[in-house]
């Protein structure tokens, strides 16, 4: 791999590596090492380490930044560290274009294969960790996590009201209404309190920093009441 190409990836990690070989290993697939026919380091061991480092960083971040229950923390962490998410993180920095693959893997689309990209991303996390420690790894990982959390938040804000509406529509005689019952706080930190009524009965209550967020939380509570 040309040094300038590896340097491009180095810049994307936000770190000037003391030992650039950690990064080179992170993008070296076993198929490439096997074809080289010599003791060429490849990324499986770093992937193993990166998986654990990622789990610690994400767990710590979610614990400190949310008030979710243990069950919800576990579910959210699973979403953030699954292959689909890691592959998306890898694609966001064009990690596939830096991969060293055997000819067979490369010819069959290995540079964009989700499993290869996800594993390589974990190996890059390990590279940053090995070279700079846990804080360096945290600085690299957290922006990806924050972006993914925002995506999940937007999904949830779309899902609860829609699901509740779909359930209620199965009974045409029933009506659903969201009522703003309180609004407080300064302009930069508003607090909205909403109730959702099924016919005239309150079935959910939500508080959020926007009316929309409060409505979604109210819908979520209503869904729980309905056993959804």
């Amino acid at each position: 791999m040309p040094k300038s190409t590896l340097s491009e990836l180095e810049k994307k990690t936000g770190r000037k590596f003391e030992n650039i070989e950690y990064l080179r290993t992170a993008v070296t697939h076993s198929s490439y090492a096997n074809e080289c026919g010599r003791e060429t380091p490849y990324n499986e061991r770093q992937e193993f380490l990166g998986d654990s480092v990622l789990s610690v960083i994400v767990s710590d971040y979610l614990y400190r930044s949310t008030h979710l229950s243990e069950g919800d923390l576990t579910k959210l962490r699973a979403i953030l560290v699954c292959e689909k998410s890691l592959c998306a993180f890898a694609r966001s920095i064009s990690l596939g274009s830096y991969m060293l693959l055997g000819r067979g893997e490369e010819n069959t689309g290995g540079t964009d294969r989700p499993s290869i990209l996800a594993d390589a991303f974990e190996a890059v996390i390990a590279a940053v960790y090995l070279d700079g420690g846990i804080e360096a790894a945290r600085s690299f990982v957290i922006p990806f996590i924050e972006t993914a959390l925002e995506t999940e938040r937007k999904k949830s804000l779309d899902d609860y009201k829609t699901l509740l509406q779909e359930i209620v529509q199965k009974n045409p005689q029933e009506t659903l209404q969201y009522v703003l019952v309180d609004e407080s706080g300064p302009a930069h930190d508003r607090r909205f309190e909403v109730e959702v009524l099924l016919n005239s009965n309150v079935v959910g209550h939500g508080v959020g920093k926007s009316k929309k967020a409060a409505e979604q939380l109210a819908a979520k509570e209503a869904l729980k009441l309905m056993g959804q």
Side-chain angles (χ1 to χ4, degrees), residues 83-220:
E83 181 181 286
K84 181 179 179 182
S85 294
L86 295 177
C87 178
F89 300 160
R91 284 175 176 155
S92 73
I93 58 172
S94 303
L95 188 56
S97 65
Y98 302 100
M99 292 297 300
L100 291 174
L101 301 172
R103 288 185 293 275
E105 285 288 356
E106 188 153 12
N107 291 338
T108 56
T111 56
D112 196 48
R113 185 168 295 130
S115 60
I116 289 178
L117 290 177
D119 291 349
F121 189 81
E122 288 182 327
V124 170
I125 293 172
V128 176
Y129 170 75
L130 289 167
D131 195 71
I134 191 65
E135 291 307 319
R138 196 189 312 276
S139 295
F140 173 62
V141 168
I142 292 303
F144 295 100
I145 299 306
E146 289 178 336
T147 299
L149 281 173
E150 180 62 19
T151 299
E152 287 302 313
R153 187 189 70 82
K154 288 179 179 178
K155 283 182 182 178
S156 69
L157 290 182
D158 290 335
D159 289 347
Y160 296 129
K161 285 185 70 175
T162 299
L163 180 56
L164 182 59
Q165 186 66 38
E166 288 174 352
I167 292 172
V168 172
Q169 283 177 344
K170 293 177 182 178
N171 298 294
Q173 72 276 14
E174 296 186 339
T175 59
L176 198 64
Q177 182 184 8
Y178 293 88
V179 179
L180 179 65
V181 295
D182 189 42
E183 181 178 346
S184 60
H188 67 280
D189 189 22
R190 301 297 288 165
R191 178 184 179 276
F192 297 84
E193 186 174 350
V194 168
E195 290 179 345
V196 57
L197 281 65
L198 182 58
N199 298 326
S200 58
N201 301 311
V202 176
V203 292
H205 173 267
V207 177
K209 292 188 176 182
S210 70
K211 184 179 177 182
K212 182 178 179 181
E215 288 176 349
Q216 297 296 342
L217 292 173
K220 181 180 180 180

Side-chain angles (χ1 to χ4, degrees), residues 15-75:
R15 174 169 184 79
K16 181 65 177 176
F17 275 71
E18 297 291 331
N19 185 350
I20 197 67
E21 292 306 310
Y22 289 134
L23 195 57
R24 190 185 307 278
T25 299
V27 296
T28 302
H29 191 257
S30 59
S31 61
Y32 179 87
N34 291 336
E35 286 188 5
C36 286
R38 58 180 185 273
E39 292 296 320
T40 301
Y42 54 94
N43 64 13
E44 289 182 3
R45 279 170 46 83
Q46 282 189 200
E47 172 209 335
F48 165 80
L49 176 60
D51 177 74
S52 295
V53 173
L54 175 64
S55 182
V56 168
I57 291 172
V58 172
S59 298
D60 179 76
Y61 180 82
L62 293 178
Y63 179 84
R64 295 177 186 276
S65 63
T66 74
H67 297 286
L68 298 173
S69 68
E70 184 271 342
D72 287 340
L73 286 170
T74 300
K75 291 176 184 177

